[in-house]
């Protein structure tokens, strides 16, 4: 009768709904799996590159009868640099994996942000001086916040280090701190090479570098901003970037003063 027919239609529409839900879930799982696979393949590639260089260098030394001492030294220096690079990639990967874990892993304490920034800039001062970059900190008010000091120190260090690295000779880096009743605000501005507009949406991706060869020259792994963004998001903060190619870049960061679990 009619009621049977209605029942059937109702059941059928439920089946359709369930199957749609399943399809959505499945494609989400597939996306996650794909991005994990992509990450693993990227990691392998990045770790292999220095190894390949070292192998080539070692092989060419081994293949020669009487290697002049100068050549030997030169190749050994290159091998040393590749080892250093491999080490940097592994360290960055370990930081990233730590940051990928849940926010419950945050070690929250009350931190004087002015002092934290002083220390970060003091550590980076020698690198800035070597590049003839003027590094300036401007604190507009005293700020104390509930944060994970180790993780945020790493995040901010990455930003300031990039601002120095991707700068010009005799350039400047300006770091500023401000706050209201709810958040503290950080700005890291530089007079550097800038980021092309079509790269802006990719810079937080793991291993993404605007100019692979140039970034490699100045010792990048492409993991720094991924680490920075993760650390900021774990604090329920936000990060934004503004940049003009050839003129400079501005990163703005907002972090809640009180940590909300
Ligand atoms: P890297 O280890 O290569 O510095 P990051 O994840 O820290 O990796 O940054 C990703 C890329 O974004 C860099 O390779 C660089 O091309 C670009 N970038 C980051 N910060 C700046 C900046 N302040 N000025 C210009 N380019 C930048």
């Amino acid at each position: 009768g009619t009621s049977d027919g209605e029942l059937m239609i109702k059941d059928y529409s439920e089946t359709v709904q369930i199957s749609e839900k399943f399809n959505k879930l499945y494609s989400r799982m597939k996306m996650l799996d794909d991005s994990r696979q992509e990450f693993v393949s990227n990691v392998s590639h990045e770790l292999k590159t220095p190894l390949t260089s070292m192998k080539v260098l070692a092989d060419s030394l081994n293949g020669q009868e009487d290697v002049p001492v100068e050549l030997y030294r030169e190749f050994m220096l290159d091998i040393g640099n590749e080892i250093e690079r491999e080490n940097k990639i592994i360290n960055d990967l370990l930081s990233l994996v730590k940051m990928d874990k849940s926010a419950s892993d945050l070690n929250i304490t009350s931190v004087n942000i002015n002092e934290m920034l002083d220390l970060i800039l003091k550590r980076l001062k020698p690198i800035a001086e070597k590049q003839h970059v003027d590094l300036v900190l401007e604190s507009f008010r005293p700020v104390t916040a509930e944060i994970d000091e180790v993780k945020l120190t790493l995040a901010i260090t990455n930003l300031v280090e990039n601002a120095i690295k991707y700068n010009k000779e005799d350039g400047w880096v300006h770091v500023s701190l401000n706050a209201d009743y709810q958040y503290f605000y950080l700005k890291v501005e530089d007079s550097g090479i800038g980021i092309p507009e079509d790269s802006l949406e990719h810079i937080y991706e793991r291993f993404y570098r605007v100019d692979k060869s140039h970034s490699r020259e100045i010792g990048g792994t492409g993991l720094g901003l991924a680490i920075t963004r993760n650390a900021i998001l774990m604090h329920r903060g936000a990060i934004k970037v503004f940049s003009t190619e050839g003129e400079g870049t501005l990163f703005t960061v907002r972090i809640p003063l009180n940590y909300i679990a």
Side-chain angles (χ1 to χ4, degrees):
T2 341
S3 55
D4 270 3
E6 274 170 9
L7 193 68
M8 257 178 67
I9 289 167
K10 188 167 167 272
D11 278 350
Y12 177 68
S13 77
E14 261 176 26
T15 309
V16 170
Q17 273 178 21
I18 290 170
S19 124
E20 271 172 4
K21 270 188 194 155
F22 176 79
N23 278 340
K24 266 190 201 150
L25 197 67
Y26 178 78
S27 60
R28 264 210 62 191
M29 276 170 57
K30 182 137 178 15
M31 255 169 60
L32 284 176
D33 193 49
D34 285 351
S35 75
R36 228 185 62 190
Q37 271 180 27
E38 196 190 319
F39 179 60
V40 170
S41 111
N42 282 343
V43 168
S44 316
H45 175 79
E46 295 292 328
L47 290 176
K48 259 178 139 170
T49 311
L51 278 182
T52 309
S53 302
M54 286 188 260
K55 176 100 175 94
V56 170
L57 289 162
D59 280 353
S60 60
L61 282 184
N62 290 333
Q64 284 184 52
E65 286 276 301
D66 300 300
V67 183
V69 156
E70 291 77 35
L71 194 71
Y72 194 83
R73 283 217 187 96
E74 195 190 316
F75 278 35
M76 275 306 166
L77 211 68
D78 288 343
I79 290 177
N81 286 336
E82 293 297 335
I83 291 173
E84 208 174 282
R85 182 172 167 73
E86 187 87 52
N87 204 22
K88 195 164 169 6
I89 297 172
I90 291 169
N91 282 336
D92 278 1
L93 273 171
L94 289 175
S95 303
L96 192 67
V97 168
K98 256 191 230 153
M99 301 280 185
D100 263 355
K101 285 209 222 141
S102 69
S104 60
D105 282 352
L106 286 178
N107 178 17
I108 302 289
T109 57
S110 186
V111 176
N112 180 327
I113 305 297
N114 306 73
E115 281 175 10
M116 184 179 90
L117 288 178
D118 274 339
L119 199 63
I120 291 173
L121 265 74
K122 207 179 189 176
R123 286 203 204 103
L124 292 174
K125 203 95 197 172
I127 305 175
E129 272 165 14
K130 224 170 90 185
Q131 305 246 129
H132 300 280
V133 166
D134 196 23
L135 182 57
V136 184
L137 172 65
E138 193 171 8
S139 290
F140 289 103
R141 57 183 67 210
V143 179
T144 305
E146 292 169 18
I147 57 152
D148 184 318
E149 187 169 16
V150 173
K151 290 196 172 71
L152 270 196
T153 293
L154 185 61
I156 297 162
T157 300
N158 284 341
L159 289 179
V160 182
E161 215 178 352
N162 280 347
I164 298 168
K165 275 195 316 195
Y166 302 106
N167 219 308
K168 302 168 189 151
E169 187 89 3
D170 296 318
W172 50 263
V173 172
H174 193 175
V175 181
S176 73
L177 170 67
N178 212 336
D180 56 22
Y181 65 97
Q182 211 178 355
Y183 298 102
F184 72 88
Y185 304 89
L186 267 174
K187 285 186 188 173
V188 180
E189 194 171 9
D190 67 60
S191 63
I193 60 176
I195 301 167
E197 193 170 352
D198 55 344
S199 292
L200 282 175
E201 57 180 316
H202 299 294
I203 52 171
Y204 302 108
E205 289 167 17
R206 299 147 164 171
F207 297 118
Y208 182 83
R209 277 163 273 167
V210 173
D211 177 348
K212 288 246 173 200
S213 57
H214 183 59
S215 300
R216 196 185 147 80
E217 232 171 74
I218 39 187
T221 63
L223 292 171
L225 286 179
I227 294 168
T228 295
R229 185 170 171 273
N230 276 359
I232 290 167
L233 293 186
M234 283 171 93
H235 286 82
R236 298 180 189 278
I239 179 165
K240 281 189 197 160
V241 61
F242 308 86
S243 189
T244 310
E245 230 186 322
E247 282 184 23
T249 304
L250 165 67
F251 280 94
T252 64
V253 174
R254 188 191 76 195
I255 309 274
L257 293 173
N258 299 300
Y259 179 72
I260 316 132

